[in-house]
Amino acid sequence: RQDVLVLTPWLAPIVWEGTFSRDILNAQYLQKNLVTGVVTFAVEKYWFFIDGFMRSANKYFLAGHQVNFYLFTDSPEKISHLQMAPENHLFVIPVQNCSRWQDISRSRMDIISSYIQSQFQYEVDYLYSLDIDVQLLAHIGVEIIDALVATISSWEVTPRHEGKAYETRPESQAAIPEGRGDFHYTASFYGGSVSEVLRLTRACSEGLREDRESGVETRRHHESHLNKYLLQHKPTRLLSPEYYWDTEL
């Protein structure tokens, strides 16, 4: 494709539709006998999105490959029976609710980090975090597999972006001086190898904890810390905004 940027300045590929052969990648992936995990959170009113997300993810996310879905929710009793593909498995993990949605957002990184260490590292090779309030509309395949994967925010490619994504206040651990990041990455879809996701979530969790102790609330919560981490630790693969498009646009 000549109409989009397909390579970062540090030579990481940017995946757009039409820039890869899924058949070739599928053949390579199957030889390795890998298992990929998906983490998602359905807390408070977000339990409403579970059915739509799971049905679409079961159909479109790495179809034909082994996927473990880890659903964290404070309403496990509201989950109806979901018919999963033979190669997919759903694990419902109860989690406590928080009094403020900001606290729910902040706690995600800590929960993911803890579960990687206690469970996920023994069950999956790659791990991705997706927001629950979406439905997949087309196949997301093994073209997303790499060591450290970030998704470019759909707001990045709009005139209204204006660099508002980054935390610039120096008192925050997520501060990016003068907002000079590489790209604005969404916290709604990121992942990679289990070891790399552990490093990412552990660092973000620590930054969030230090901000909380200092009385600082970042403008985009864990997404601000994600962007700071990915500025300092360059992703090995980027997914285009096609992979997580904001319907407001």
Side-chain angles (χ1 to χ4, degrees), residues 22-23 34 42 50 55 71 78 82 90 107 127 129 131-132 138-140 167 171 174 187 200 225 232 246-247 249:
R22 188 166 285 151
D23 290 340
L34 300 171
I50 293 173
R55 289 185 189 280
L71 170 59
K78 294 181 179 179
L82 297 169
L90 172 62
S107 66
L127 187 67
S129 174
D131 279 357
I132 193 76
H139 287 285
I140 294 179
E167 176 60 64
E171 59 267 28
L200 182 155
H225 288 269
Q232 298 173 330
D246 191 330
T247 53
L249 301 174

Side-chain angles (χ1 to χ4, degrees), residues 126-139:
Y126 291 88
L127 187 67
Y128 290 80
S129 174
L130 278 80
D131 279 357
I132 193 76
D133 56 342
V134 296
Q135 289 194 39
L136 281 64
L137 303 177
H139 287 285

Side-chain angles (χ1 to χ4, degrees), residues 100-113:
R100 302 165 66 241
W101 71 266
Q102 293 92 334
D103 296 327
I104 298 171
S105 171
R106 279 197 291 245
S107 66
R108 286 189 182 191
M109 293 292 189
D110 187 48
I111 291 171
I112 294 173
S113 172

Side-chain angles (χ1 to χ4, degrees), residues 101-168:
W101 71 266
Q102 293 92 334
D103 296 327
I104 298 171
S105 171
R106 279 197 291 245
S107 66
R108 286 189 182 191
M109 293 292 189
D110 187 48
I111 291 171
I112 294 173
S113 172
S114 297
Y115 271 86
I116 288 175
Q117 295 175 81
S118 65
Q119 179 180 346
F120 299 160
Q121 65 173 323
Y122 306 110
E123 298 176 348
V124 299
D125 302 286
Y126 291 88
L127 187 67
Y128 290 80
S129 174
L130 278 80
D131 279 357
I132 193 76
D133 56 342
V134 296
Q135 289 194 39
L136 281 64
L137 303 177
H139 287 285
I140 294 179
V142 297
E143 74 278 358
I144 71 169
I145 300 296
D146 214 321
L148 184 58
V149 181
T151 304
I152 300 172
S153 170
S154 49
W155 289 91
E156 171 89 3
V157 294
T158 68
R160 288 187 287 167
H161 176 60
E162 298 176 355
K164 295 179 179 178
Y166 304 113
E167 176 60 64
T168 56

Side-chain angles (χ1 to χ4, degrees), residues 22-34:
R22 188 166 285 151
D23 290 340
I24 293 175
L25 294 174
N26 274 331
Q28 295 173 343
Y29 185 86
L30 284 169
Q31 290 176 357
K32 300 175 183 178
N33 195 32
L34 300 171

